Amino acid sequence: MKEVRFFYAPEAATSQELPSDEATHALRVLRLKEGDEMMLMDGQGNYYRAEVTMAHGHHCMYAIRETLPQERQWQGHVHLAIAPTKMMDRMEWMLEKAVEVGVDEISLLDCQFSERRVFKIPRAEKIVIAATKQSHKAWITKLNEMTSFQEFIRQPRECRKYIAHCYEEVPRTYLFDELRKPSEIEDALVLVGPEGDFSIDEVRLAVANGYQSVDLGKSRLRTETAGLSAVMMMQLSKS
């Protein structure tokens, strides 16, 4: 049985043509032709079973045959805020795997000890889209521009808020234990710092703004591993 290919088309319901990047992949890589079936996802919770009606040059036209609304795979809003690593390949790996596991929103933090203060969102968004298609997610992960730690931490948020760090002088509890505690609030946000950790002042500022101090276990983790672990804990706590 031929595998049905997924394509990201945010305006699938109102357009009849794949976005240029998706069209190139469909025609030049997958060699789709008129009459072939494909599945479109709009990133807002809908699949569309569609048929190629025209494949020529850089253009791939389609006709929708069926609209398939999807149910959410988890409860609540899963949000990771993380300081990007100096090595972009590590951060890109984390983005890909976090989307595959399941995360609603990723925010990028500029912290006191950050080694990377510029982050190219367009390239990262392509990685997010590819991971969304590969893992058949009906909702696209929101990726936010880099924000200073101080600005981010002071924004009001109606969710369970945690900051993961390694300072012994600030009492911590295990994140997964906290996430498993009964709560009327389903939404969760976890902050993960750069390779040198948050500064102690940043941790204290977060706690003063309602964030709970947590750790991710006994092992000392790299930033990208810590970010993925936090996402996995948020997901597992909802199972």
Side-chain angles (χ1 to χ4, degrees), residues 160 162 176-186 212 237:
R160 302 168 72 177
Y162 306 95
F176 191 62
D177 288 342
E178 294 301 326
L179 289 167
R180 294 287 285 179
K181 291 180 179 178
S183 174
E184 295 181 356
I185 301 176
E186 293 279 359
Q212 187 168 346
S237 69

Side-chain angles (χ1 to χ4, degrees), residues 26-52:
L27 303 181
R28 300 296 178 88
V29 179
L30 301 178
R31 305 289 184 180
L32 295 188
K33 58 186 183 300
E34 185 176 331
D36 284 344
E37 184 176 294
M38 58 184 175
M39 194 72 77
L40 311 180
M41 51 175 64
D42 63 6
Q44 300 299 317
N46 298 296
Y47 289 165
Y48 302 89
R49 186 173 62 82
E51 181 181 319
V52 178

Side-chain angles (χ1 to χ4, degrees), residues 149-178:
F149 179 86
Q150 288 80 7
E151 180 181 347
F152 184 89
I153 215 72
R154 290 191 172 98
Q155 293 174 5
R157 301 177 189 278
E158 295 298 326
C159 63
R160 302 168 72 177
K161 303 183 296 185
Y162 306 95
I163 181 168
H165 64 89
C166 299
Y167 291 101
E168 297 292 344
E169 56 265 47
V170 181
R172 297 165 296 162
T173 51
Y174 183 42
L175 174 62
F176 191 62
D177 288 342
E178 294 301 326

Side-chain angles (χ1 to χ4, degrees), residues 65-208:
R65 302 306 184 198
E66 187 178 9
T67 300
L68 303 166
Q70 301 297 297
E71 293 184 2
R72 280 198 169 273
Q73 297 175 321
W74 58 87
Q75 298 296 315
H77 188 85
V78 175
H79 187 177
L80 172 70
I82 187 168
T85 57
K86 183 177 182 180
M87 302 296 292
M88 277 301 297
D89 58 339
R90 291 181 178 174
M91 191 64 186
E92 290 172 355
W93 174 87
M94 192 283 300
L95 285 173
E96 179 183 73
K97 302 310 174 188
V99 171
E100 290 177 8
V101 170
V103 60
D104 294 293
E105 186 173 0
I106 297 176
S107 296
L108 305 173
L109 301 176
D110 182 5
C111 303
Q112 183 175 339
F113 298 148
S114 288
E115 294 183 297
R116 175 172 293 279
R117 302 186 187 279
V118 176
F119 192 88
K120 296 180 179 179
I121 292 292
R123 175 178 170 83
E125 286 178 336
K126 290 182 179 180
I127 293 171
V128 167
I129 291 170
T132 301
K133 294 190 295 182
Q134 190 279 328
S135 57
H136 295 184
K137 296 289 190 300
W139 279 266
I140 196 78
T141 298
K142 182 181 180 182
L143 184 60
N144 298 319
E145 296 277 356
M146 189 175 292
T147 306
S148 72
F149 179 86
Q150 288 80 7
E151 180 181 347
F152 184 89
I153 215 72
R154 290 191 172 98
Q155 293 174 5
R157 301 177 189 278
E158 295 298 326
C159 63
R160 302 168 72 177
K161 303 183 296 185
Y162 306 95
I163 181 168
H165 64 89
C166 299
Y167 291 101
E168 297 292 344
E169 56 265 47
V170 181
R172 297 165 296 162
T173 51
Y174 183 42
L175 174 62
F176 191 62
D177 288 342
E178 294 301 326
L179 289 167
R180 294 287 285 179
K181 291 180 179 178
S183 174
E184 295 181 356
I185 301 176
E186 293 279 359
D187 299 352
L189 163 63
V190 178
L191 274 56
V192 172
E195 289 294 328
D197 205 346
F198 295 110
S199 70
I200 187 65
D201 289 339
E202 287 172 331
V203 172
R204 287 171 174 157
L205 178 62
V207 172

Side-chain angles (χ1 to χ4, degrees), residues 47-66:
Y47 289 165
Y48 302 89
R49 186 173 62 82
E51 181 181 319
V52 178
T53 57
M54 189 274 282
H56 180 73
H58 298 284
H59 300 279
C60 182
M61 307 293 292
Y62 61 83
I64 293 175
R65 302 306 184 198
E66 187 178 9

